[in-house]
Amino acid sequence: MSDRKMELRHDRHTVSLLSDHMVFATKYRGKILVDDVAMIAEGIICKTCVEMGIEIIEIAVNPDHVHIFFRYPPKYSLSYIAKKLKGVSSKRLRDEFPHLKEWCGDHLWAPSCFHGSVGNGWEVVSKYIETQDVHHAKNAIYRPRP
């Protein structure tokens, strides 16, 4: 991990080093984040983060969940960040891909999410998210549909 990532964030009235590892899943853990849907989802999440002043350190879009490791300004709570990222991406993805509306109706994401506050373990979290594609490929089990 570069030293740049560990630098303190200096805003007008605060100095902070707030980082989080957030994971949120699709509704019913449906494996819908594939191909163009995954690519567009990552773009929407990244753009929303830029608009909020959130720095993404690592992101992995898997077929049924998303990992994001990021630095965020103290003016936002983690619940607000999750609500914003899930809300914006859900609306835009359902507008862009009408078949998602048929599958999930008004909500693309499951209502819950995981937050892991990250202190000195930046390298561990970054490496874990970076290797998500390999991790999921090794653990993929073929389950024929009934």
Side-chain angles (χ1 to χ4, degrees):
M1 182 66 49
S2 72
D3 290 334
R4 186 183 73 76
K5 299 293 185 195
M6 294 293 285
E7 287 179 7
L8 296 174
R9 177 188 188 110
H10 295 267
D11 295 311
R12 187 168 180 194
H13 298 288
T14 60
V15 177
S16 63
L17 180 58
L18 298 172
S19 59
D20 189 65
H21 173 202
M22 181 185 298
V23 182
F24 49 91
T26 58
K27 192 173 179 181
Y28 313 123
R29 288 298 284 228
K31 299 190 182 314
I32 58 167
L33 301 174
V34 294
D35 303 324
D36 287 346
V37 177
M39 183 180 66
I40 300 293
E42 184 172 338
I44 292 167
I45 291 167
C46 289
K47 182 175 186 241
T48 304
C49 284
V50 167
E51 291 169 356
M52 295 175 70
I54 294 170
E55 177 189 354
I56 294 179
I57 298 165
E58 201 70 55
I59 185 169
V61 177
N62 297 293
D64 63 351
H65 67 283
V66 175
H67 288 266
I68 312 170
F69 179 29
F70 59 90
R71 291 178 54 182
Y72 63 99
K75 67 181 177 180
Y76 296 127
S77 69
L78 289 173
S79 60
Y80 177 79
I81 293 169
K83 181 179 177 180
K84 186 79 167 175
L85 294 179
K86 290 166 70 174
V88 169
S89 61
S90 176
K91 177 163 182 10
R92 292 189 185 158
L93 286 171
R94 287 179 295 114
D95 288 347
E96 180 81 20
F97 301 99
H99 71 279
L100 293 178
K101 281 184 187 175
E102 296 171 19
W103 174 76
C104 66
D106 292 339
H107 306 283
L108 181 72
W109 304 107
S112 60
C113 67
F114 165 82
H115 293 285
S117 177
V118 181
N120 291 327
W122 282 51
E123 294 82 8
V124 174
V125 174
S126 184
K127 184 71 170 171
Y128 174 75
I129 295 171
E130 185 179 295
T131 59
Q132 277 295 293
D133 54 345
V134 175
H135 169 77
H136 284 282
K138 280 195 291 188
N139 294 323
I141 299 172
Y142 173 71
R143 292 188 180 111
R145 294 184 182 249

